[in-house]
Amino acid sequence: MEGVFAGVRVVELAQWVFVPVAGALLADWGADVVRIERPEGDPYRGLATQGIGADRAGVNLSVALANRGKRSIALDLSTERGLAVLHELLAGADVFLTNLRPGALARLGLDAESLRERYPALVYARGHGFGVRGPDADQPGYDASAFWARGGLADALTPPGHDYPIHQRGAMGDRNAAMALAFGIAGALLRRSRTGEGAVVDVSLLATAIWTLSSDMLTALQAQALPRPTDRAASPNPLVGTYRTADGRHVQLVYLQGDRYWPDLCRALGRADLADDPRFADMAARRAHAAECVAELDAEFGRRTFAECAALLSTLDAPWAPVQSVHDLLDDPQVLANGYIGEVRDEGLEPYRLPAVPVQFDEQPPLLRRAPELGEHTEQILLELGHDWEAISALREAGAIP
């Protein structure tokens, strides 16, 4: 299938994770994403973390995930000739994608106002930490600072009694914000197809955190106390919770309509008496006697193995799930059937797997392609722009390209 963004040219001037991942999502679905890297490369190429970066032999999976399917040109934008090449690319581009800070963009003449005036049909998309206005607009922001810490997630998700906020998982904010930025770009391209006008698209990590915590935000907006991780026995609905099995596994019940599912669960557990127990007769009763209800369910799940609990719950047309580790997901039949983890195959490389973009078209996951080496397509792209080999040599002598 031809990608839905086939024919769209994206010029990406970005580094690290957030904005490059947005470019990778567009590339997954057919956009020609030309990645501008400085001659020494994106510092993310050298980041060693979690055993998946530069400290591990073979493919740098972090870089591969953020940059798959793109082309790379190495340009020194501090040189007049390098900046001129960037403008040649922008002249034929549909989207300019960046996460450079406002001050840096202004110094290069790449601020939104300048580029929109020069290229009126351009979609100018930028990702940032804290938004483009306010006292911290030019402050650097990573997902651990702008999303996790300042955005409220560290506080909201740290259980009571911890001396320090818990750490986030890698790049959670970056990849969520990247989805929002790709969505914004798609919307801007749709509007341009109708009006011919470009747009400025903005997504910040701080705004993404607020959206992620929308339920808590609604509580705060009503000046109410925020929900916190609590004792399971104090649950307002014992049928929404996690229960441990005899072999140490866990199952998650999500019976939001407790009165609908409670009788069937009791029968499946062989405890029809619980369905008739006035303490548990309805949602209000179960809430008033939550500790007793949780204790009864703890005992029932606790005397069965995980396999027995899974078989029992699978007989009910009710929402539940096993609590799985990330390693479990690698072989989850539902993950495999839907292609949620793709494989990159390229000549000369051992195949490797990466998470796929969550969006599918026509029930098909995208074909994943490898990430480019630093400056791998520099000469190819310059030739496409009309430079001959003599001109390319001149650019190299001028220090515009390595």
Side-chain angles (χ1 to χ4, degrees):
M1 184 190 74
E2 184 177 53
V4 294
F5 289 109
V8 173
R9 166 68 64 85
V10 179
V11 175
E12 178 190 296
L13 178 61
Q15 56 189 15
W16 297 102
V17 184
F18 166 17
V19 172
V21 167
L25 298 179
L26 299 174
D28 276 348
W29 287 116
D32 177 19
V33 180
V34 177
R35 175 167 166 76
I36 311 296
E37 292 193 68
R38 52 191 182 183
E40 62 270 29
D42 183 341
Y44 194 49
R45 290 184 179 274
L47 181 68
T49 180
Q50 294 183 306
I52 56 175
D55 56 346
R56 185 184 179 101
V59 174
N60 185 323
L61 295 180
S62 294
V63 172
L65 181 61
N67 295 287
R68 62 196 189 203
K70 302 176 187 177
R71 297 193 290 166
S72 172
I73 178 172
L75 286 177
D76 187 345
L77 299 183
S78 69
T79 68
E80 183 178 343
R81 300 288 295 277
L83 195 56
V85 170
L86 173 58
H87 278 286
E88 290 182 59
L89 286 166
L90 290 173
D94 300 289
V95 179
F96 177 58
L97 184 57
T98 187
N99 65 356
L100 270 63
R101 285 185 277 164
L105 290 167
R107 287 191 295 272
L108 292 168
L110 300 175
D111 53 282
E113 183 178 357
S114 298
L115 290 191
R116 287 293 309 286
E117 182 177 357
R118 188 166 179 175
Y119 312 107
L122 184 69
V123 172
Y124 188 109
R126 56 194 175 188
H128 28 81
F130 304 100
V132 294
R133 294 173 297 279
D136 299 325
D138 210 30
Q139 180 177 330
Y142 291 87
D143 68 331
S145 56
F147 173 83
W148 184 255
R150 188 164 183 174
L153 277 95
D155 178 72
L157 298 179
T158 298
H162 279 237
D163 291 335
Y164 289 89
I166 61 172
H167 290 290
Q168 73 166 73
R169 309 308 295 169
M172 285 178 62
D174 286 330
R175 296 188 180 108
N176 280 287
M179 288 288 291
L181 188 54
F183 166 69
I185 291 168
L189 289 171
L190 176 62
R191 190 182 78 170
R192 192 186 70 166
S193 72
R194 295 170 174 170
T195 67
E197 296 180 4
V200 178
V201 180
D202 284 306
V203 173
S204 76
L205 292 164
L206 180 59
T208 304
I210 291 170
W211 177 251
T212 302
L213 285 175
S214 288
S215 293
D216 283 358
M217 290 298 300
L218 294 178
T219 301
L221 287 168
Q222 298 176 79
Q224 296 179 2
L226 294 177
R228 292 286 183 179
T230 57
D231 183 354
R232 293 169 62 253
S235 171
N237 180 359
L239 302 187
V240 176
T242 305
Y243 290 91
R244 183 180 292 118
T245 65
D247 47 355
R249 295 284 305 274
H250 295 86
V251 294
Q252 174 74 49
L253 303 186
V254 195
Y255 294 1
L256 298 176
Q257 299 171 275
D259 291 344
R260 174 182 174 183
Y261 299 119
W262 176 244
D264 288 341
L265 176 63
C266 293
R267 282 191 288 272
L269 291 171
R271 293 293 308 277
D273 61 299
L274 294 178
D276 299 326
D277 193 318
R279 296 174 301 166
F280 312 135
D282 55 25
M283 292 280 286
R286 287 190 296 275
R287 181 170 187 166
H289 298 278
E292 296 106 306
C293 189
V294 168
E296 293 284 3
L297 293 175
D298 274 340
E300 291 302 322
F301 286 108
R303 67 184 181 86
R304 293 172 169 87
T305 66
F306 172 78
E308 290 171 333
C309 291
L312 180 152
L313 292 171
S314 295
T315 66
L316 306 177
D317 184 20
W320 76 280
V323 176
Q324 297 195 139
S325 71
V326 174
H327 289 90
D328 293 328
L329 291 174
L330 300 180
D331 300 309
D332 186 315
Q334 200 65 22
V335 172
L336 298 178
N338 286 280
Y340 292 154
I341 300 176
E343 187 172 65
V344 177
R345 291 182 172 272
D346 193 77
E347 186 176 349
L349 290 176
E350 288 292 322
Y352 56 92
R353 299 169 74 193
L354 294 174
V357 55
V359 179
Q360 297 187 357
F361 294 96
D362 298 331
E363 300 185 0
Q364 293 296 317
L367 176 67
L368 301 187
R369 298 166 292 159
R370 68 174 177 85
E373 298 298 327
L374 170 61
E376 178 180 343
H377 304 96
T378 299
E379 293 174 344
Q380 178 193 79
I381 292 169
L382 290 171
L383 289 169
E384 291 174 2
L385 291 173
H387 294 259
D388 58 22
W389 288 107
E390 183 178 351
I392 292 173
S393 296
L395 286 171
R396 187 165 283 118
E397 291 172 4
I401 61 175

